[in-house]
Amino acid sequence: MRTFRCDHCDSPVFFENPRCVGCGHTLAFLPDQFRVAALERSDDGLWRVAAPSSPDATIDPEATAASDLPQEEAPAYRLCHHYVSTDTCNWAVEASDPNELCASCRLTRDIPNLSLEGRHVALYKMESAKRRLVFNLRELGLPLFEHETINPLRFSFLENLPDQGCKVMTGHDHGHITINLAEADDVERVRSRQQLGEPYRTVLGHFRHEIGHFYWDELIAPQEARLNAFRELFGDEREDYGEALKRHYEQPQADWAEEHISAYASSHPWESWAETWAHYMHMRAMIETADDFADSVRLPGQDRKAARKARREEILRDTRPDFDQLILRWVPLSLALNALNRSMGMDDIYPFALSEVVRQKLRFVHDTVHDSAIMA
């Protein structure tokens, strides 16, 4: 995830922020500009990017150009309906778009009953993770919306209903991703992690894993050559899935780390793919965050602005970063992150090792992502 700054006062702002703590301006993510922007409401009731408080305030040259336009010519937006109605979103919708929901909220099919205690907070955590997922996928240039994909992508956030004998299973089914609302409860999530012996379990991790299954259907299954290459590396997915999971829980593979990123990845080729996909997304997102914070913290004023602009242009030119370079950067970064967590008395943030086979699988994911990109 990139870092952002307020268009008006240049204060640091973050992806989830609805308001700038520096100047109080309303913030919203603008999908068409792919950034968080400070907005001001115009006389016509629409929202436009706020003008900078000083010539040095704006770090985005596109934002500066937009703020210099007459009000009637500047890009106009509405806040997502869920921004103003349920306070579970901070994205905007282009004024010309007839939809009342933003691009991310449109992907949600089912939500919990928000009148019940705790459901609003749980939904906010789910939607926040989903928005990060959408941002990451779009930045990778992957097909995501209905006119781009084979199966329409939809999300449901459901909860167990013991009185009705309903137990929700987190999973993916032909484009429909369901996540148990209990994953938004920190206590329940830690309990599940301990019961299953998992070193890592987060809401965002679930999204990245399940979207891996979605992209297996989208990018692997329809391509015969890619499917054959997948089977050579990950195994034959035609193996009975139910029996494979049963065997995994009854007799887990002892030497799973030699060929898999996690113990669960050893249960079936589909799960090996989804786990590897999720870790590839972890790696790319963390490297980008580290890069952006390095630029933001290290360089003051105009030097910072010039460096960030130059790096963004480099990223846009480099649509296929070298995988070996990614690994060379990721390994020391993950070690540093683990060391920082240990300095605070916390568990490792990335408690995984990358065997040679796992690196081959990550490379396969990397090549699939970049061979399938539809946008930069």
Side-chain angles (χ1 to χ4, degrees), residues 261 274-284 350 352 362:
I261 191 66
E275 285 284 88
T276 306
W277 176 282
H279 280 258
Y280 180 76
M281 291 197 70
H282 296 335
M283 180 177 71
R284 291 293 299 269
Y350 191 76
F352 303 94
L362 285 166

Side-chain angles (χ1 to χ4, degrees), residues 19-297:
R19 189 169 299 278
C20 175
V21 297
C23 65
H25 270 75
T26 294
L27 300 175
F29 180 74
L30 310 181
D32 60 322
Q33 297 190 38
F34 213 65
R35 68 185 186 91
V36 175
L39 301 180
E40 293 178 342
R41 198 163 195 171
S42 304
D43 296 338
D44 58 6
L46 299 174
W47 296 81
R48 291 172 171 84
V49 176
S53 59
S54 71
D56 295 332
T58 302
I59 64 171
D60 190 328
E62 293 182 7
T64 302
S67 67
D68 288 340
L69 292 171
Q71 185 184 95
E72 62 274 11
E73 297 180 23
Y77 302 89
R78 289 175 285 105
L79 300 182
C80 175
H81 177 67
H82 288 163
Y83 196 137
V84 297
S85 63
T86 63
D87 196 29
T88 57
C89 180
N90 69 330
W91 283 27
V93 183
E94 292 180 70
S96 60
D97 191 332
N99 289 283
E100 64 175 7
L101 297 178
C102 72
S104 177
C105 286
R106 286 174 225 165
L107 297 174
T108 301
R109 194 176 82 172
D110 301 297
I111 63 173
N113 183 349
L114 297 184
S115 67
L116 300 177
E117 183 180 0
R119 299 330 187 262
H120 185 279
V121 173
L123 178 62
Y124 175 78
K125 290 182 179 180
M126 289 289 178
E127 290 290 353
S128 293
K130 174 162 68 70
R131 286 192 291 274
R132 279 190 172 253
L133 177 76
V134 171
F135 180 96
N136 293 150
L137 295 173
R138 240 19 202 172
E139 194 161 50
L140 291 173
L142 289 167
L144 179 61
F145 301 111
E146 283 193 36
H147 63 285
E148 303 166 345
T149 61
I150 300 170
N151 296 301
L153 178 62
R154 293 291 182 268
F155 294 85
S156 290
F157 308 130
L158 305 176
E159 59 184 317
N160 297 331
L161 299 173
D163 294 344
Q164 302 177 25
C166 175
K167 181 175 176 59
V168 175
M169 299 297 294
T170 293
H172 167 264
D173 181 25
H174 296 92
H176 183 201
I177 292 175
T178 300
I179 298 185
N180 192 319
L181 202 66
E183 294 296 338
D185 184 315
D186 294 341
V187 174
E188 289 298 323
R189 192 172 61 255
V190 169
R191 182 181 293 118
S192 296
R193 181 174 63 82
Q194 292 174 340
Q195 289 176 345
L196 296 173
E198 298 174 342
Y200 170 90
R201 189 181 183 98
T202 67
V203 177
L204 184 54
H206 278 299
F207 277 93
R208 287 174 174 165
H209 174 98
E210 297 304 334
I211 204 69
H213 288 300
F214 171 76
Y215 281 115
W216 193 91
D217 287 349
E218 294 288 319
L219 308 179
I220 303 298
Q223 303 288 337
E224 183 178 359
R226 194 176 290 157
L227 178 60
N228 291 334
F230 166 88
R231 287 171 177 166
E232 289 183 9
L233 187 55
F234 289 84
D236 194 333
E237 83 290 348
R238 292 169 293 189
E239 175 189 7
D240 187 277
Y241 183 73
E243 287 298 318
L245 287 187
K246 182 173 181 291
R247 182 177 64 250
H248 168 71
Y249 288 117
E250 292 178 352
Q251 296 180 323
Q253 185 176 329
D255 59 350
W256 59 265
E258 295 180 8
E259 298 185 356
H260 303 281
I261 191 66
S262 68
Y264 187 58
S266 68
S267 63
H268 188 274
W270 278 336
E271 299 304 342
S272 182
W273 161 264
E275 285 284 88
T276 306
W277 176 282
H279 280 258
Y280 180 76
M281 291 197 70
H282 296 335
M283 180 177 71
R284 291 293 299 269
M286 292 289 278
I287 288 174
E288 180 184 55
T289 303
D291 283 349
D292 244 36
F293 265 96
D295 288 345
S296 179
V297 171

